[in-house]
Amino acid sequence: MEEKLMSKKKPAFPVNQILNDYLAKHRRNIKIPIFYDDLLRFQGSIVVYDKHDEDTLWVRTYYSEYDRSEIDLSLKKVYTILHSNGNEDIIQHLNVDAIDYCTFGNSKPFRIKIRNILNDNYTYFYVKKTDASRIYGLELEHILSPNNLNFLVYKDTLIEEHIAGIPGDVFIKEMLPYCTENEKSQIAKEFVKFNERCMLRLLGDMRSYNYVIIPTHDFDHVVYKIQAIDFDQQAYEGKFRVYLPQYFKENIEMVNLVSNRLQDASINQYKLEERSMVAKRILNSEDRLDELINCMVNDTISTPDNIKLLKNQVYEFAHDLEFLKCKNMGEILQTALDFVKRNFEDVRVI
């Protein structure tokens, strides 16, 4: 199914000057003391296994003594820039427990585990190669979703804060079968909303391992939310179905949950609720969103064939002639968000 739905490999797109200026204005573009390529100097690695002794597709790297000392200090400084505005007083209390390298997927990220030696609390961040698609995806998630994202860009290196949660594929396999009936209904509702949100902002490839389930205890029950964690496929593919998580076979259990738990009237209600929330976020962050969309309109983040295919398929879905006038992915997204905002404002007027 995915071979037909997705391109075999999406290229990385460079950050142009307009996007670079946008990132600098919003304090995303900050000088950091280490680059992605520096971490590639590892001398060897060992496989990282999960609790079931299965290969995680991550490897734990090791470096020469000289390189490790220099890299550790630089990674601690990156942590302070990401979390405490560069205050280096805390560096003496930090330890780099692990530098893991992912052998799977497009971005080939490094995952850094940082531990506070005073209390053994730890967190992660990721070091990746810069890709304009990923940056647009992160910014759109920050603006249009309920989630605030923390990331930094410097030249060809991208630093991303870890998004905590249970990987979707793990949750579906190990936890979903043991959820209560009410919890399953609530998860079905959240998947409908997540599906709608991805479609509206053209975030593609939301297979189960590209999002997390976040459980929160609220009085006497658990509330579940779904959050994307991979933003490589922002507004690139031409097939409209790529932007709907329901069409990936890895999500079949979630799709079945929706079919079995929700009536059509409820599904439509939850779609409308999500569109209304996205519209409110558009209106509340209009200036920043306009700046970001202007960057996308003046950027190349897809192919002419993909652009032509997508604008025609979105037109068939929305029946808005404005989509057929679009010349690039930025204009398609702009038209989609204008469509959402316009319909929301029309309802409010009525």
Side-chain angles (χ1 to χ4, degrees):
M1 183 177 180
E2 274 69 6
E3 283 301 312
K4 296 179 180 178
L5 201 56
M6 300 278 298
S7 300
K8 289 186 177 179
K9 184 172 177 63
K10 184 192 80 68
F13 294 97
V15 174
N16 66 15
Q17 190 58 50
I18 298 176
L19 179 56
N20 196 65
D21 291 344
Y22 169 91
L23 294 169
K25 178 180 178 180
H26 294 284
R27 297 187 59 79
R28 300 289 202 191
N29 192 335
I30 299 174
K31 186 176 181 180
I32 56 176
I34 194 168
F35 294 102
Y36 177 90
D37 286 349
D38 294 329
L39 297 179
L40 290 174
R41 302 201 307 257
F42 58 88
Q43 292 189 325
S45 63
I46 57 173
V47 175
V48 177
Y49 294 96
D50 65 15
K51 62 183 180 181
H52 303 298
D53 290 327
E54 294 181 359
D55 188 346
T56 62
L57 303 179
W58 290 83
V59 296
R60 186 143 299 164
T61 61
Y62 56 88
Y63 300 78
S64 70
E65 185 176 349
Y66 172 79
D67 279 342
R68 183 65 194 238
S69 176
E70 179 185 0
I71 286 171
D72 276 14
L73 178 59
S74 295
L75 290 173
K76 292 175 189 178
K77 289 180 178 179
V78 169
Y79 175 89
T80 67
I81 295 169
L82 193 63
H83 291 284
S84 60
N85 202 28
N87 184 345
E88 297 186 1
D89 292 344
I90 63 171
I91 283 182
Q92 60 182 316
H93 305 307
L94 302 177
N95 188 70
V96 179
D97 276 10
I99 303 173
D100 296 336
Y101 178 64
C102 184
T103 57
F104 175 73
N106 280 340
S107 57
K108 298 287 193 298
F110 285 92
R111 180 178 61 197
I112 315 302
K113 182 179 180 181
I114 297 280
R115 179 171 55 90
N116 186 313
I117 61 177
L118 297 179
N119 51 36
D120 274 345
N121 285 330
Y122 64 87
T123 188
Y124 299 94
F125 66 84
Y126 298 86
V127 182
K128 301 180 179 181
K129 273 282 192 183
T130 300
D131 175 13
S133 297
R134 193 174 301 122
I135 292 169
Y136 287 126
L138 287 161
E139 270 294 292
L140 286 165
E141 179 76 5
H142 181 77
I143 296 170
L144 296 179
S145 84
N147 315 298
N148 292 326
L149 297 189
N150 192 10
F151 68 93
L152 302 171
V153 181
Y154 184 58
K155 295 184 178 179
D156 66 347
T157 299
L158 171 66
I159 309 293
E160 288 183 32
E161 185 178 44
H162 175 65
I163 298 172
I166 305 164
D169 55 340
V170 175
F171 182 88
I172 290 168
K173 180 181 178 181
E174 299 182 5
M175 303 182 70
L176 183 59
Y178 304 101
C179 289
T180 66
E181 300 304 302
N182 285 338
E183 287 172 344
K184 288 179 179 178
S185 295
Q186 201 248 328
I187 293 165
K189 168 188 170 182
E190 289 304 313
F191 187 76
V192 170
K193 291 192 168 192
F194 178 66
N195 193 74
E196 191 74 5
R197 189 161 66 246
C198 291
M199 178 193 71
L200 295 176
R201 43 78 56 98
L202 297 183
L203 178 61
D205 193 21
M206 280 299 107
R207 285 174 274 194
S208 56
Y209 47 77
N210 286 333
Y211 59 81
V212 292
I213 311 292
I214 306 172
T216 304
H217 290 269
D218 183 25
F219 293 106
D220 59 348
H221 67 289
V222 179
V223 177
Y224 293 91
K225 299 293 182 183
I226 303 177
Q227 182 175 355
I229 59 172
D230 192 310
F231 303 94
D232 293 355
Q233 290 286 345
Q234 174 63 52
Y236 172 74
E237 292 285 350
K239 293 177 181 175
F240 186 47
R241 290 192 303 171
V242 169
Y243 304 104
L244 289 150
Q246 70 187 71
Y247 286 110
F248 289 98
K249 67 179 182 182
E250 289 85 354
N251 295 326
I252 188 64
E253 293 297 329
M254 301 294 264
V255 173
N256 289 339
L257 208 60
V258 173
S259 299
N260 296 332
R261 299 282 163 178
L262 304 179
Q263 297 179 359
D264 288 346
S266 295
I267 293 172
N268 290 332
Q269 174 197 337
Y270 298 141
K271 287 181 178 181
L272 181 60
E273 287 179 8
E274 191 59 33
R275 289 190 183 204
S276 297
M277 289 306 300
V278 170
K280 289 176 183 177
R281 294 184 190 109
I282 292 171
L283 294 169
N284 290 337
S285 305
E286 206 156 13
D287 290 344
R288 181 166 181 165
L289 183 60
D290 285 346
E291 290 177 34
L292 182 66
I293 296 296
N294 181 60
C295 294
M296 294 183 73
V297 168
N298 289 282
D299 206 345
T300 299
I301 53 173
S302 190
T303 66
D305 287 344
N306 283 353
I307 294 164
K308 182 179 179 180
L309 179 60
L310 184 61
K311 73 178 184 180
N312 281 292
Q313 291 194 355
V314 176
Y315 166 72
E316 291 172 6
F317 175 81
H319 304 293
D320 186 339
L321 288 170
E322 291 300 313
F323 285 107
L324 297 180
K325 302 175 185 177
C326 296
K327 302 180 185 67
N328 55 53
M329 285 296 186
E331 291 185 0
I332 295 174
L333 179 60
Q334 183 177 43
T335 304
L337 297 180
D338 285 346
F339 181 83
V340 172
K341 182 174 69 172
R342 187 169 64 250
N343 283 308
F344 175 73
E345 290 175 330
D346 288 345
V347 170
R348 291 181 71 194
V349 170
I350 293 172

